[in-house]
Every structure is written in structure tokens, then in C-alpha cells.
Amino acid sequence: EAGVTQSPTHLIKTRGQQATLRCSPISGHTSVYWYQQALGLGLQFLLWYDEGEERNRGNFPPRFSGRQFPNYSSELNVNALELEDSALYLCASSSTPGGYNEQFFGPGTRLTVL
Amino acid sequence: GQNIDQPTEMTATEGAIVQINCTYQTSGFNGLFWYQQHAGEAPTFLSYNVLDGLEEKGRFSSFLSRSKGYSYLLLKELQMKDSASYLCAVMDSNYQLIWGAGTKLIIKP
């Protein structure tokens, strides 16, 4: 069974540009979560999608947005990039949004903003 | 606000036992998770506790006390490959995972 996949592995952008990150969940998983992990820091929750709808978002500005497609894959968009957006962006998926809800993580996208 | 506290860094010796503590204050509780994250890699699931008590899984055990808002991860017979960050996360009433900053565990020969 294929795990969570993310693309691209690395992304280099300049300030003010826009970045798009992609995630494909494990087959059968309907929930997708996005996290930001800045160097040396813990995971910060960004967004949660389930069944195509945004269920919750973390304490991030509106320039962080995303969507979930009918096949449950997801996209994270970051507009007007700032230097402090440089981080590892992790996507996770789970089979159900409640109860026992182990999240399986993808390898991440390393975003560097110059 | 919601808060998860873990020590920033711990050092232990190969073959020994180490206990990593986690205290939490969250709006609601739907379980506590421990994940392992090696440098540069994605987190991988270690354990899940939703009821009080000890869950044992091989060399790793996890304990939960809901009344105290406290958990620990116990690692026995430490191996060099156990050098990693250990992340504590609590699922709140909205089924959102609240993450601690992680504990970096350094294993010395």
C-alpha cells in the first residue's frame, strides 16, 4: 500500500511569490492535514480537510489556503511569500476524522523563501 | 489557551532506560499520541492512549493520567537508532491534534 506522497520535495521561491504544494493521501483516507514545521520547532497545525471541505484551520493568516479534490488529494497554497514561511510542510492523512485517528505523514516539502 | 509541554532535550546511554514526560492543557481530550521523528524525516506513529494506564509495545511503553493531564513515553534497552525527536500530541474536542515542540533524545555509547 502506497503511503502519503507529497510534491515537490524541495521548492525555492522569492519573497512575494506564490507557492503550491501537493499531497496525495493513503488510498481510502478521506482526511488530509497540513502542518508547518520551522527548523527546530514543533509542528504547527495549518489546515484540515475532510470529504472535500475545510474542517478547521490553525492560527495562520489567510494567505495560507488550500483545497481538497474529489479524489481526496489536496493542495496548499501560500501567497505573498515571506522569509519566515521557510519551513518543512508536512501533509498527513487519516481514515476517519474522529476517535482513534492515527495520522500518517508524508515526507514533506521543504520550502525555502529567499 | 491550549498547551503541550515536553523537555527540549534529553541525553541517555545506550542500553539504559529513559522516560520522556508530557503535560497538557487542552480544550477537551480525545486521546494522546506519541510520534518519533528522525532528523529530516516525517514523524512516525508510536502509541495512542485514551484511557488511563500503561500501554506496552515492545521496548516502548506509554502512560496516561487524564486527571493529571500527564503522559510519559518510556524507552527501554536504548539503541543508537532511538536518537530522534519524540513528539507528544493531544487530540482536542474538535478532533484536532495539538502538538508539543518535541523532545530531542540523544543516545550516547
Side-chain angles (χ1 to χ4, degrees), chain B residues 16-69:
Chain B
I17 299 172
V18 70
Q19 177 175 311
I20 302 174
N21 295 325
C22 170
T23 58
Y24 63 89
Q25 288 180 306
T26 56
S27 53
F29 180 84
N30 279 302
L32 185 143
F33 294 79
W34 284 96
Y35 279 78
Q36 180 191 60
Q37 186 177 26
H38 284 101
E41 298 181 11
T44 55
F45 170 80
L46 287 176
S47 69
Y48 170 75
N49 294 68
V50 68
L51 299 175
D52 289 351
L54 187 68
E55 295 277 343
E56 297 186 77
K57 192 184 291 186
R59 293 189 299 114
F60 293 8
S61 303
S62 56
F63 171 83
L64 174 67
S65 169
R66 288 172 297 170
S67 62
K68 295 181 180 177

Side-chain angles (χ1 to χ4, degrees), chain A residues 35 37 42-43 45 48 56 90 97-103 105-106, chain B residues 30 33 35 37 42-43 45 48 87 91 94-97 99-101:
Chain A
Y35 294 94
Q37 188 176 35
L43 276 72
F45 168 71
W48 168 25
N56 204 356
L90 291 165
Y100 174 65
N101 191 30
E102 177 188 346
Q103 295 184 12
F105 284 83
Chain B
N30 279 302
F33 294 79
Y35 279 78
Q37 186 177 26
F45 170 80
Y48 170 75
L87 311 178
M91 182 164 287
N94 293 320
Y95 295 103
Q96 177 181 320
L97 273 181
W99 294 81

Side-chain angles (χ1 to χ4, degrees), chain A residues 43-102:
Chain A
L43 276 72
Q44 300 296 316
F45 168 71
L46 271 165
L47 290 159
W48 168 25
Y49 291 97
D50 183 64
E51 297 283 1
E53 306 235 342
E54 182 180 301
R55 300 296 184 183
N56 204 356
R57 67 177 291 131
N59 190 25
F60 280 83
R63 57 191 186 83
F64 287 83
S65 66
R67 53 181 172 166
Q68 186 178 34
F69 299 99
N71 66 354
Y72 303 115
S73 67
S74 177
E75 214 172 68
L76 174 69
N77 295 293
V78 188
N79 294 320
L81 284 165
E82 300 178 3
L83 295 178
E84 53 264 34
D85 296 333
S86 294
L88 180 67
Y89 289 83
L90 291 165
C91 169
S93 74
S94 66
S95 56
T96 58
Y100 174 65
N101 191 30
E102 177 188 346

Side-chain angles (χ1 to χ4, degrees), chain A residues 2-18:
Chain A
V4 177
T5 59
Q6 291 186 244
S7 63
T9 306
H10 293 89
L11 189 58
I12 300 175
K13 295 284 185 177
T14 56
R15 256 187 321 178
Q17 284 190 312
Q18 185 243 2

